[in-house]
Amino acid sequence: MSDTNWLIYDTLYPGNDSRHVVARIEAAEDFYDVAWVRPLPLPTTYLRLEDALYDVERCTARGSVCDSTRPISIPHMPPVRSAER
């Protein structure tokens, strides 16, 4: 966009798809402010631009830890009864 503003695109999606734009980055005085267009569980400020790009690559990779998945169910057991005296 400019010398201090960038857009991050996901080229897996066409330009007319809402998933194409991932984030908007703006350079501040000594950090980068990131506005996530996609709901990614990532920080909104970075000290280095490269770190923001790395996180985007890591989270948009197939099978990443950032993928939304259904929670793992925990088996429930009835409480242990104490012996009556």
Side-chain angles (χ1 to χ4, degrees):
M1 292 174 34
S2 72
D3 291 344
T4 59
N5 291 295
W6 301 272
L7 289 175
I8 298 177
Y9 296 120
D10 188 340
T11 56
L12 292 176
Y13 302 100
N16 61 353
D17 191 317
S18 64
R19 297 170 292 181
H20 183 68
V21 178
V22 177
R24 185 177 79 46
I25 300 178
E26 183 176 344
E29 203 166 299
D30 55 352
F31 65 93
Y32 294 92
D33 186 36
V34 180
W36 298 107
V37 177
R38 281 198 203 165
L40 295 175
L42 296 172
T44 56
T45 56
Y46 287 87
L47 295 177
R48 296 176 348 129
L49 182 60
E50 294 81 11
D51 294 337
L53 295 174
Y54 172 77
D55 276 356
V56 169
E57 288 177 343
R58 183 178 56 87
C59 264
T60 57
R62 220 176 158 91
S64 77
V65 295
C66 297
D67 284 345
S68 297
T69 60
R70 194 177 185 107
I72 299 170
S73 63
I74 301 170
H76 296 282
M77 308 290 270
V80 177
R81 293 185 179 200
S82 60
E84 293 182 24
R85 295 182 186 191

